[in-house]
Each structure stands twice: as C-alpha cells, then as structure tokens.
Amino acid sequence: MKQTTIARRVEAVGIGLHKGEPIRLILEPLEANMGIVFTRTDLGISFRAEPQSVINTQMATVIGNQNGFISTIEHLLAAINGYGIDNIRILLDANEVPVMDGSAISFCMLLDEAGIRQLDEGKKVLIIRREVEVREGDKFVRAVPSKEPKFDYTIKFDHPVIGEQRHVFEFSKTNFIKEIARARTFGFLKDLQKLQSQNLALGASLDNAVAIDDNRILNPEGLRFENEFVRHKILDAIGDLALLKAPLMGDYFAFAGSHDLNHKLTLAIFADAKNYELATLDAKLLKEYERVFA
C-alpha cells in the first residue's frame, strides 16, 4: 500500500471560533514523506504536525513557535487522519482553523472534492508494541497493542444532559464518516459568556457548537447522535493523534481525556523506542490491518 496525498488544490472560507472573523483555508497536495504541514500565509511560516510543534492544549490543540501559532487544528486533522491521508499542506491566513459547523464533516466534504492520489512511496504506520498510559487522578488516556484499532472513550459530566457516556469506535474511513465526523463540539453557556468577556469564542454560535445551559440543550434541532458528546471527544482524539505522523495501529482508551492528555500520550509513546514500531505497510501488515483502510 502506498502513501497518499490529495489529488488537487481546494479551498474554503469559514469563521474562526475565537476571533469570529472569516479565515481562508487552502489544502494542497504534498510529496511523499513530507507529512502534514501547516502554513501561515499571512506570516510566511510553517509548522509540521508533530508532538514537538504543540505549544498549548488548554482549550484546543495549538501548534507554533515564538513567531506565530495555529489553533484549533484537531477537527481538520481528524478528517485527514480518518481519510488516511499521509501528506498534505494546509494554508491559513489567520491563527486558527475555521470552525465550520463544529465537527469534521465540512473538512470531509472538502477532501472528497480534492480527491485522493497515491504516491510512489510505501505507506508508514505506527504500531503500538506495548501499553502506554498517561494518567492524572482518575482521568487517563492509553494506547494498547491491537490488530483491530479502536477508540474506547468514556466521559462523565455532572450535568443532566450529558452524564456518563461511552462509545466504542472501530477505526476505518467508512466508520469515521458514518459515526464520528458529524459530532459537534459542545460548550456550556456560562463558560461561553466568560470567554466572550475576554474577547475569546467570539465566533461561537448555535451554528457551530452544541450549547448547554444548566439543564438543557439550546440548539433547536437537538443532537445529531444520542451520545454526540462522547463521539466528539473521539473526534478530538483522532485529530490529536494525527500528530504521531503515521496512522496509529493500536487501541486507544480514555476516561475523561483531553487535548492535554492526548498530547502527553504522543510524547510518552515516542519517549521509548520499545513502545512502538514505525513500519512500512507491506502485504503482510496490510492483511493484518486491512479493515482500518476500508
């Protein structure tokens, strides 16, 4: 199996979650072994999608350096990861990826428009060889060896609308589009009011997030899935783990995970070479993991 990129250049315009201003997003093909590269066209600087590029994980995953940054990259990366795209350049004229509808489905549509092209180099995968866990109190994220990769996520909120939810997602492109891509980000009205008083989340609306007050969902259309909240957490994790630079061949478990714990997990995996193997997907490996690329 070969590495992939997109077949042609595509672009879109969307609103930034925090600034509330239009942002131009362009996706371009990239040659083999280049990975995922973000470029700030307004600053003329680029960042690779890798753990070392992460500079903040408080409200979103943010990559950058002293010269600039790009925020809220996880939903776009989830679509790229879900589609199994290995090499792509992402150009933005602002410091965040547009929020679109708060899920990854708009990015999936953009990738469908671009198409996928095979390259000459063999596809690389990151195989988990032994369990790696990051834990903070009762919260944890964990990567475990597996030949049928899945995401097993549990959340628990002291809120009548959310409560405790669990979803198990068997990783494949088909399943990603059907089960995960449409799950929207969510937030509490009291938190939004606080953020907007600090000139943050100025672009947030019922068009790009599930909003919750003390006891109900404010969106007139309701939820897209009964457990949309935990499905979105899986979407975030798929995006965060795209920073591993190759598809994860292993199970991911989480209880009350976060962008921060996901980032720490990527660092922990790479901290010891015994934890993983970066392998080229030959015929034998493809047979073992073929469902992932369905």
Side-chain angles (χ1 to χ4, degrees), residues 19-74:
K19 296 298 183 183
E21 298 173 352
I23 296 170
R24 187 183 186 199
L25 165 69
I26 301 172
L27 305 180
E28 291 184 344
L30 205 56
E31 56 268 27
N33 299 316
M34 292 300 294
I36 302 169
V37 179
F38 285 83
T39 296
R40 285 279 303 271
T41 57
D42 55 329
L43 298 180
I45 56 176
S46 296
F47 316 110
R48 290 193 176 278
E50 58 188 14
Q52 293 77 13
S53 297
V54 175
I55 59 172
N56 194 308
T57 54
Q58 293 306 303
M59 296 175 56
T61 298
V62 183
I63 57 173
N65 55 33
Q66 67 274 16
N67 298 315
F69 66 90
I70 299 173
S71 176
T72 324
I73 63 174
E74 57 272 9

Side-chain angles (χ1 to χ4, degrees), residues 155 161 165 186 210 212 223 227-233:
I155 59 173
V161 169
Q165 297 183 3
F186 60 94
V210 178
I212 311 163
L223 297 176
N227 62 348
E228 185 170 358
F229 304 104
V230 70
R231 290 181 191 235
H232 185 78
K233 289 293 188 179

Side-chain angles (χ1 to χ4, degrees), residues 49-52 81 86 122-130 132 143-147 149 151 171 241-252 265-281 285 289 292-293:
E50 58 188 14
Q52 293 77 13
N81 196 357
D86 303 292
K123 189 178 188 74
K124 293 181 174 63
V125 294
L126 191 138
I127 302 171
I128 297 297
R129 290 303 185 194
R130 64 180 184 182
V132 181
V144 178
S146 173
K147 291 185 178 179
F151 283 68
F171 192 94
L241 294 183
L243 295 166
L244 288 170
K245 300 184 289 186
L248 175 71
M249 298 296 117
D251 286 345
Y252 168 94
L265 180 64
T266 64
L267 294 175
I269 289 170
F270 285 133
D272 190 332
K274 294 179 182 177
N275 292 337
Y276 70 96
E277 176 188 356
L278 189 60
T280 300
L281 196 62
L285 282 175
Y289 296 110
V292 180
F293 303 101

